Amino acid sequence: MNEEQQCLLLSSASRFWPPKGVKLSYGTAGFRADASLLQSTVYRVGILAALRSLKTRSVIGLMITASHNKVSDNGVKIADPSGGMLSQHWEPFADALANAPSPQHLLLLINEFVEKEGISVDGDWHVEVLLGRDTRPITVSWRSLTLRGQMRPMWSQLGCRQPDTPKTVTLWLKSLLQTLFYNLEGIRGVTSIVGAVATDMGILTTPQLHWMVRARNKGMKASEQDYFEQLSSSFRCLVDLIPAEKCKFDGVNDKVVVDAANGVGGVKLKYLGKLLNGLIIEVRNSSEDGGVLNDGVGADYVQKEKVLPNSFGSKDTGIRCVSLDGDADRLVYFIVPPESSGRIDLVDGDKILSLFALFIREQLSFLNEKEDMKNCHQAHLGVVQTAYANGASTNYLKLLGLEVNFTPTGVKYLHEKATEFDIGIYFEANGHGTVLFSESFIESLEARTNEISLGSKGSEGEKAALRLLAVSKLINQAVGDALSGLLLVEVILQHMGWSINKWNELYHDLPSKQLKVKVADRTAIVTTNAETVVVSPPGLKEAINEETAKYPQGRCFVRPSGTEDVVRVYAEASTPEAADTLANCVAKLVDQFLGFNSS
C-alpha cells in the first residue's frame, strides 16, 4: 500500500470512530443495529465493498436497509458479483473491519488483509460500487431530496406525511439532519480506496440493487427501468402462454391487495402495476401513506402473528392479500376468513415454494415427454428447505416425487445449495426465497426457443420451454424478491385456474411451536444434519428423541442462536396442544442439560 493510499485512509477514518462498548457482527443480513450506532460501520463497509470490487474485478453492491426491523434500526450489507450475498470467506474480515478500535488499527488490518488476498490498492485498477437505500428516514440522502437544484417536498421523500405540529416538525428535522450526514458515509468509505467509484442508484428495494449488480456483471442493461421492463415483459409472456382452456380470473379475483409494510416496495409496486395487463394491484401501507415502517404491518408481522395488518379487514374477504417486508425481499399471502376477528389463514413461503415446484415440475414433464424434445437437456430439479419448513410441506413435495434437500438456517446456505441444480427452488417459511436456473439449462432453453414465436401453434413441449425461459427472467435469480415473486405467484394461479383457497388446500400445516431458552453459553449446543440433530452435550439427543416419540407426527429440534446466548426450540405435532407440550418439555431438557436454570 503506497503512502497516498495510507494517508487517504487515515484521514477519512479519523472522522468515523466506532461506538464504544458495542461489538458488531456481519451475518446473513449484513450489519444491523440501532441507526445511531452504525455511522462508522457504513463508512467501513464502503471500504469493504471497494476492496471486494478490487479483488473480484467486478461491480459490487452496497445496500443500506434494515429490512423488516423497526424504523429506528438500520443496516448495511454487500452484494457480491453474482448479485448474491457477500462470500462467507470475507465475513470474519468484515467483523474485524467494523470493530477496529482506531484509524491506525483499521489501516493495519487492511494492510494485512490486502497482502494476504493479493489485492492491489495502489490505484492501478478502477472499480465501481453501486449504492442503494430504502425509504426509512435515515437512509434517504440529500441527493434524493433534490431535483434539478430544486427542493422536492422532503417529507414525501422520507416516506411520511407533511409535519403538522411543532413536535412533529422537530422530530422530522432531527431525522433529516441525521440523514444528511449518515448516507454520505458509504460513499466516503468507497472513495477512500484509490480507484474506487461509488455510483448512487437512489432509492431501491434490496432485490433491485442485487439484480442490478448481477446484470452489470453479466454485461446486461442494469437500470431500474430495465428491471421493471424485464419483469413486466416476462409476466406478459407467461400470461400469453396460459392454456386457452384454463379459467381466467374475473371480477374481484382480478385484484390482489398488497400490504407494503410502509416501506420501499409500495412505491415500486405501484409503478410496476401500471406496466401490467390482466392484473389489478391495490397497494396499501405504502411509504407515502404516513404509517410507521414495519409497525403492525409487513410480512414478518403477518407471518409470525398470523393476524391482519393495519388497513385490512372484513372488506377483504375473498380477495388475495399479500404482505411484503420493509425492503421488499419477502412476501407471504394470506386469506381473510369471514368473521375473522383479526385472524388470518396464512399462505407462507412453504406454500409459495410448493406452488412454484408444482408448476415447474409440470413444465419439465411436458419437455421430457414429447418425442421432439428427447435430445434436449434433461433438467435436474431440486428443492431446498431448512428444518423450520413445516413437515407437511416437506411430505407434500416428496409425494410429488421431488428431491428435497436441507441446509442449516440462513438464506446463504439455501442459495448455495440451490445452485447445484439445473433448477433449484428455495424458500423459507418467512417468505424469502427464489428460483435459480443453471446457465447450461438456460442455454438449452434458448436454443430450443430461438425458432418459436408466441403466435405459432407450437407443441406443449415448445410452450413449456418458452414458459420456463420466461420464469427465469421474471424471477430474481440474485436474491429473494417480493415483487418478482408476487408476479410469478399470480401468473401461476392464472395458469392453474386456481383461487387462493384452492392453493391453500394443497396440504394442511402441522401445528408447530417455537420457544427460546436462555443459556450460559450457546456454543455448548453443537448440531449436525442441517441443525436437526444434537451432537453435544452428550445425552441431549437421546432425551429429545425419547420425548418426541410420545407425540403423533412429532418432530422437534434445537439449535443455538447466532447472535445471543439462547437456544431455539422448534416442535411439531398432530395438535396445537401436543406441539406446545412437546416444545415446553424439550425446553426444560435444554435447561437441565446446560446447567443454567432459566425456567
Side-chain angles (χ1 to χ4, degrees):
M1 186 184 299
N2 61 31
E3 186 176 349
E4 176 192 1
Q5 179 63 87
Q6 293 188 58
C7 290
L8 182 58
L9 278 168
L10 284 173
S11 173
S12 59
S14 64
R15 305 177 190 176
F16 304 105
W17 290 77
K20 293 183 179 179
V22 176
K23 185 170 183 179
L24 296 159
S25 178
Y26 195 101
T28 298
F31 291 109
R32 282 192 191 166
D34 186 279
S36 63
L37 302 175
L38 287 178
Q39 292 182 341
S40 72
T41 308
V42 173
Y43 160 76
R44 293 174 181 205
V45 172
I47 296 174
L48 178 71
L51 294 176
R52 185 69 180 154
S53 190
L54 283 169
K55 172 67 176 180
T56 61
R57 303 291 171 90
S58 304
V59 174
I60 294 292
L62 187 157
M63 185 70 195
I64 300 175
T65 179
S67 186
H68 54 275
N69 284 30
K70 59 188 178 180
V71 70
S72 59
D73 284 354
N74 214 335
V76 58
K77 62 180 180 178
I78 298 293
D80 246 8
S82 66
M85 298 175 187
L86 176 67
S87 169
Q88 295 177 48
H89 170 67
W90 276 50
E91 289 183 9
F93 175 61
D95 290 351
L97 202 65
N99 295 296
S102 70
Q104 290 73 24
H105 282 90
L106 185 70
L107 181 61
L108 179 62
L109 179 68
I110 293 170
N111 251 323
E112 292 175 348
F113 187 77
V114 298
E115 183 176 350
K116 174 186 173 185
E117 292 290 323
I119 303 171
S120 173
V121 290
D122 294 331
D124 53 357
W125 192 268
H126 294 280
V127 294
E128 183 180 14
V129 176
L130 307 184
L131 276 72
R133 56 193 178 277
D134 68 16
T135 50
R136 62 182 61 229
I138 43 183
T139 58
V140 183
S141 75
W142 177 265
R143 178 177 174 181
S144 74
L145 299 176
T146 63
L147 180 64
R148 296 179 181 175
Q150 301 296 318
M151 293 300 294
R152 288 187 279 170
M154 295 183 193
W155 38 84
S156 68
Q157 297 306 308
L158 292 173
C160 56
R161 294 193 182 102
Q162 178 174 346
D164 52 6
T165 67
K167 181 179 180 181
T168 306
V169 171
T170 300
L171 292 173
W172 178 81
L173 286 173
K174 181 179 179 182
S175 176
L176 175 60
L177 288 172
Q178 188 175 17
T179 293
L180 300 180
F181 295 102
Y182 187 89
N183 288 285
L184 293 173
E185 291 148 15
I187 295 174
R188 285 172 176 161
V190 172
T191 56
S192 67
I193 299 298
V194 177
V197 175
T199 302
D200 186 357
M201 305 303 290
I203 294 175
L204 301 170
T205 69
T206 294
Q208 283 182 310
L209 181 73
H210 284 260
W211 183 93
M212 290 173 181
V213 170
R214 181 177 185 267
R216 278 288 303 276
N217 287 315
K218 289 173 72 68
M220 299 161 51
K221 294 180 179 179
S223 70
E224 184 176 20
Q225 189 60 37
D226 294 322
Y227 168 88
F228 286 128
E229 288 178 0
Q230 179 166 313
L231 264 61
S232 58
S233 62
S234 302
F235 178 81
R236 287 193 297 270
C237 177
L238 285 164
V239 169
D240 290 341
L241 287 164
I242 292 174
E245 66 273 15
K246 297 288 186 178
C247 295
K248 294 284 189 104
F249 293 138
D250 56 58
V252 70
N253 285 325
D254 284 333
K255 183 169 74 171
V256 59
V257 183
V258 181
D259 157 33
N262 294 318
V264 66
V267 175
K268 305 301 184 182
L269 192 55
K270 285 180 182 179
Y271 181 84
L272 180 59
K274 295 175 182 178
L275 304 178
L276 306 175
N277 293 321
L279 181 64
I280 300 169
I281 301 176
E282 180 184 331
V283 179
R284 299 180 193 165
N285 302 323
S286 171
S287 59
E288 302 169 312
D289 297 338
V292 178
L293 177 70
N294 297 325
D295 184 13
V297 292
D300 189 62
Y301 172 77
V302 168
Q303 190 252 339
K304 287 181 177 176
E305 302 298 328
K306 296 180 176 61
V307 296
L308 289 169
N310 296 340
S311 306
F312 285 74
S314 59
K315 64 183 181 297
D316 302 307
T317 301
I319 301 174
R320 295 186 308 287
C321 299
V322 188
S323 276
L324 318 182
D325 70 335
D327 67 336
D329 64 356
R330 298 183 185 182
L331 79 160
V332 293
Y333 276 70
F334 62 93
I335 300 166
V336 182
E339 302 177 358
S340 69
S341 300
R343 303 299 296 178
I344 62 167
D345 293 331
L346 181 68
V347 187
D348 63 8
D350 291 339
K351 286 273 173 72
I352 295 173
L353 184 154
S354 298
L355 182 70
F356 289 178
L358 193 65
F359 176 77
I360 290 172
R361 172 179 171 270
E362 177 188 75
Q363 303 316 306
L364 289 176
S365 70
F366 288 144
L367 282 179
N368 296 332
E369 72 182 11
K370 299 299 179 181
E371 187 66 30
D372 60 351
M373 301 296 287
K374 287 291 179 65
N375 294 327
C376 281
H377 184 99
Q378 299 291 307
H380 184 192
L381 172 62
V383 173
V384 190
Q385 295 185 308
T386 73
Y388 283 105
N390 194 274
S393 75
T394 305
N395 292 337
Y396 173 77
L397 293 165
K398 289 181 176 179
L399 285 172
L400 290 178
L402 295 172
E403 178 182 341
V404 182
N405 300 261
F406 287 90
T407 71
T409 304
V411 174
K412 59 187 176 184
Y413 302 111
L414 290 158
H415 194 97
E416 182 180 10
K417 185 66 178 178
T419 62
E420 297 178 8
F421 302 94
D422 290 310
I423 306 177
I425 312 172
Y426 72 86
F427 259 88
E428 294 182 295
N430 63 24
H432 192 289
T434 191
V435 185
L436 305 183
F437 290 77
S438 71
E439 292 292 340
S440 60
F441 184 60
I442 288 177
E443 287 173 4
S444 73
L445 290 175
E446 289 174 339
R448 180 64 191 175
T449 58
N450 277 341
E451 300 176 359
I452 303 173
S453 68
L454 290 178
S456 69
K457 296 181 180 179
S459 67
E460 274 305 309
E462 290 170 332
K463 291 177 182 177
L466 285 167
R467 290 187 190 111
L468 289 172
L469 194 57
V471 170
S472 75
K473 295 177 180 178
L474 174 58
I475 200 71
N476 190 334
Q477 295 192 57
V479 72
D481 185 339
L483 273 59
S484 69
L486 184 152
L487 295 187
L488 186 53
V489 167
E490 290 298 317
V491 78
I492 292 176
L493 290 178
Q494 289 190 35
H495 176 91
M496 300 289 193
W498 285 1
S499 67
I500 189 172
N501 290 288
K502 185 168 182 179
W503 172 25
N504 195 38
E505 291 297 316
L506 284 179
Y507 60 83
H508 297 283
D509 283 333
L510 289 168
S512 63
K513 180 71 173 181
Q514 295 187 46
L515 295 174
K516 295 194 298 185
V517 183
K518 292 182 179 180
V519 295
D521 179 12
R522 68 181 184 276
T523 63
I525 292 279
V526 180
T527 63
T528 188
N529 195 19
E531 302 179 311
T532 59
V533 177
V534 175
V535 175
S536 180
L540 180 56
K541 177 182 75 173
E542 291 75 16
I544 291 174
N545 290 344
E546 181 179 348
E547 188 64 35
T548 304
K550 298 176 183 178
Y551 302 87
Q553 297 180 284
R555 182 170 75 95
C556 187
F557 67 90
V558 300
R559 54 177 289 269
S561 166
T563 57
E564 54 184 328
D565 279 324
V566 160
V567 172
R568 302 188 186 279
V569 178
Y570 179 90
E572 284 178 359
S574 57
T575 67
E577 295 77 16
D580 287 353
T581 303
L582 175 57
N584 282 300
C585 289
V586 171
K588 290 179 181 178
L589 288 172
V590 171
D591 193 44
Q592 293 168 12
F593 271 79
L594 295 186
F596 186 87
N597 187 12
S598 56
S599 300

